[in-house]
Amino acid sequence: MKPRFKKTHGVIERGEVMKAFSFSQRLKKFPPYLFAEIDKKKEQLRKRKVNFIDLSIGDPDIPAPRSVIETLYKTAKIKVNQKYSLDQGKIELRRSIKSWFKRRFEVDLDEDKQILPLIGSKEGLVHLPLAFVNKDDYVIVPSPGYPGYRNAARFCEANIYNLPLLERDNFLPDLSSIPLNIRNKAKIMYLNYPNNPTTALAPLDFLKVLVGFCAKYGIILAYDNAYSEVYFEEKPHSVLEVKGAEEVVLEFHSFSKTFCMTGFRLGWACGNEDLLAGLLKVKTNIDSGIFGAIQEAGRRALDNEDKYLDKLRKILKERRDIFVEGLKAAGFQDIYSRSTFYVWAKIPASFKSSIDYAHHLLTKKNIIATPGIGFGKDGEGFIRFALTVDKNKLRRVFSKPLF
Ligand SMILES: Cc1ncc(COP(=O)(O)O)c(C=O)c1O
């Protein structure tokens, strides 16, 4: 390719042009990040002073627990927390994670070898392949699925294998559909239950089969459990409840959705010791630990805020019930809302595509929702609503027909 040239602003004395910067081949393959695109649309609406209802991004409107914010404030004043922190996270935080995990899932984790705090779960999920995936290896990602998994594979120039999550299978993957050559070449399989965007849960029987499958083919199972505490009728599992799972699994957890701490940036990975060592090696070369006061705030949440979680689930359940009733009355037919704070619904038959319908909601109803195609090809035909606004606003969604 011929180099492109651009005018400079006087930094080069002789000659008026210099070679333009261009993205790496790797980065050129990244599609625009779904939520960054939606953010641009929101900004345009704000500029036009349009009063819209934002049901697009999974950033809960509910404040983090008060005691957590107070801990953050108090511990930010302590000098040691203002310095570089340990890459492996504070031992006190790892111990809190260990006891929370034991209390919640009846699983014992070694705080020195099997737990690694993260700067949010996305950070760990996206860095993991850098430790284990080579160019042209395969990474298996769910479709529909959280966009971070695909982009993690793209950073390593790996091939992406889309594993469909279909309505007829309760949005669980059909592992037998994965061709043998892909099974043999795949290094990582990402899966996520409670599932964003479909809201599906994974039964323990399925998790057992999944662990067996990954062990048989030597595939790392990156199990994203970011929504483990956002449930209603059925309590989600940890895949580490499955006997022997620690041989092949890294499970990811997040404070973002559990304690509405999205801005704090805190999560953790746990499970296989060697996998954690690889992830830690990558992280040590990229970041320099998590702000100590945020780690203290996270400890406080895990140790003392079980009641907050009960209250959170109550608020979200009420919202979910209002919203699902509203959708039914509005004529929607296939509506999924088993867990998380999302509702996943089939778009009305009169619309050609999920983008078409999202566009209709945005331009005609001032409602921002996420088109299913944004989560992968198998998300087409669906729309995702994030119930991250209060119940009165949610009721307003139904003040006019939705299609
Ligand atoms: C399925 C899933 N995994 C991971 C994340 C990232 O969460 P965190 O804030 O912990 O990075 C999100 C955020 O929306 C998510 O939906």
Side-chain angles (χ1 to χ4, degrees):
M1 206 171 62
K2 274 205 197 135
R4 288 184 307 115
F5 290 92
K6 65 170 191 178
K7 283 225 166 90
T8 69
H9 300 279
V11 284
I12 296 178
E13 281 181 18
R14 280 177 299 139
E16 320 178 67
V17 289
M18 73 175 231
K19 214 155 96 182
F21 301 120
S22 63
F23 285 164
S24 63
Q25 294 305 334
R26 189 184 305 117
L27 201 59
K28 278 184 192 156
K29 291 196 186 128
F30 280 60
Y33 196 71
L34 175 63
F35 294 105
E37 290 302 295
I38 294 176
D39 274 350
K40 275 190 214 153
K41 295 217 166 95
K42 275 187 232 172
E43 203 39 47
Q44 288 161 5
L45 290 180
R46 268 189 212 112
K47 275 195 187 135
R48 284 173 32 221
K49 303 222 173 347
V50 176
N51 192 4
F52 60 89
I53 301 179
D54 184 4
L55 306 179
S56 60
I57 196 159
D59 194 349
D61 57 316
I62 298 161
R66 183 194 286 252
S67 75
V68 167
I69 297 161
E70 274 160 11
T71 305
L72 176 71
Y73 178 67
K74 250 198 261 160
T75 56
K77 296 182 200 165
I78 300 170
K79 191 170 169 200
V80 67
N81 287 330
Q82 297 163 7
K83 303 294 166 195
Y84 285 128
S85 48
L86 290 176
D87 295 340
Q88 215 191 330
K90 294 190 184 207
I91 179 65
E92 294 85 356
L93 172 61
R94 283 183 273 127
R95 282 194 193 120
S96 292
I97 293 171
K98 177 191 167 90
S99 28
W100 184 86
F101 219 85
K102 174 80 181 161
R103 204 162 76 236
R104 172 67 177 85
F105 298 114
E106 275 295 310
V107 170
D108 280 306
L109 294 170
D110 180 317
E111 64 271 40
D112 289 322
K113 297 186 187 135
Q114 290 190 296
I115 297 173
L116 178 62
L118 301 169
I119 310 173
S121 64
K122 180 181 184 184
E123 179 261 302
L125 286 159
V126 177
H127 281 147
L128 179 67
L130 286 177
F132 297 99
V133 175
N134 292 313
K135 190 168 180 290
D136 300 331
D137 285 343
Y138 271 82
V139 173
I140 301 175
V141 303
S143 165
Y146 179 59
Y149 315 139
R150 269 160 228 283
N151 292 338
R154 289 186 179 112
F155 274 124
C156 297
E157 300 179 71
N159 296 306
I160 295 170
Y161 180 81
N162 283 295
L163 184 58
L165 306 184
L166 303 179
E167 194 180 9
R168 60 159 196 255
D169 299 325
N170 296 322
F171 303 108
L172 294 172
D174 174 6
L175 300 176
S176 70
S177 71
I178 305 174
L180 195 60
N181 69 321
I182 304 290
R183 299 180 195 188
N184 289 327
K185 286 193 235 160
K187 288 284 168 63
I188 298 185
M189 183 192 305
Y190 285 100
L191 279 181
N192 150 241
Y193 295 95
N195 185 256
N196 170 19
T198 70
T199 82
L201 291 162
L204 204 53
D205 282 349
F206 167 76
L207 295 178
K208 285 183 189 156
V209 173
L210 179 64
V211 167
F213 181 91
C214 289
K216 179 167 176 188
Y217 294 100
I219 301 170
I220 298 165
L221 176 59
Y223 191 79
D224 179 357
N225 214 340
Y227 295 86
S228 70
E229 302 317 297
V230 191
Y231 59 85
F232 309 110
E233 288 79 16
E234 306 145 83
K235 217 169 177 173
H237 294 282
S238 159
V239 69
L240 292 163
E241 289 170 41
V242 175
K243 198 160 165 273
E246 68 280 3
E247 304 279 332
V248 288
V249 169
L250 268 197
E251 179 163 299
F252 292 82
H253 285 261
S254 170
F255 287 75
S256 296
K257 321 291 174 173
T258 305
F259 297 105
C260 301
M261 289 166 62
T262 47
F264 287 60
R265 308 314 301 137
L266 189 63
W268 75 85
C270 55
N272 183 274
E273 187 180 331
D274 300 329
L275 296 178
L276 277 187
L279 179 55
L280 177 60
K281 188 165 180 186
V282 172
K283 281 174 58 56
T284 305
N285 284 286
I286 292 181
D287 66 67
S288 297
I290 307 161
F291 180 28
I294 289 183
Q295 299 191 50
E296 294 295 342
R299 270 182 73 196
R300 172 79 206 190
L302 291 175
D303 294 346
N304 296 82
E305 292 296 346
D306 285 356
K307 286 218 176 80
Y308 173 90
L309 292 180
D310 293 335
K311 273 193 237 148
L312 179 70
R313 282 188 282 264
K314 209 164 148 218
I315 296 172
L316 295 177
K317 182 174 183 308
E318 192 182 12
R319 289 182 184 180
R320 183 209 49 180
D321 293 345
I322 290 170
F323 200 78
V324 168
E325 276 317 302
L327 283 182
K328 281 186 189 157
F332 283 77
Q333 303 225 321
D334 302 282
I335 306 162
Y336 298 93
S337 59
R338 276 173 76 195
S339 67
T340 73
F341 40 65
Y342 305 112
V343 171
W344 183 241
K346 269 248 178 82
I347 60 169
S350 49
F351 290 85
K352 270 201 324 280
S353 69
S354 58
I355 299 232
D356 252 17
Y357 186 52
H359 189 252
H360 172 82
L361 286 177
L362 179 83
T363 52
K364 301 281 192 303
K365 314 287 169 187
N366 296 333
I367 293 167
I368 310 186
T370 311
I373 186 77
F375 299 95
K377 158 169 128 351
D378 299 281
E380 186 49 287
F382 286 87
I383 187 108
R384 191 195 74 174
F385 300 100
L387 308 188
T388 44
V389 300
D390 70 41
K391 59 183 178 187
N392 297 326
K393 244 191 194 171
L394 283 182
R395 284 198 178 101
R396 275 200 353 243
V397 167
F398 303 104
S399 57
K400 292 179 269 174
L402 287 179
F403 55 93

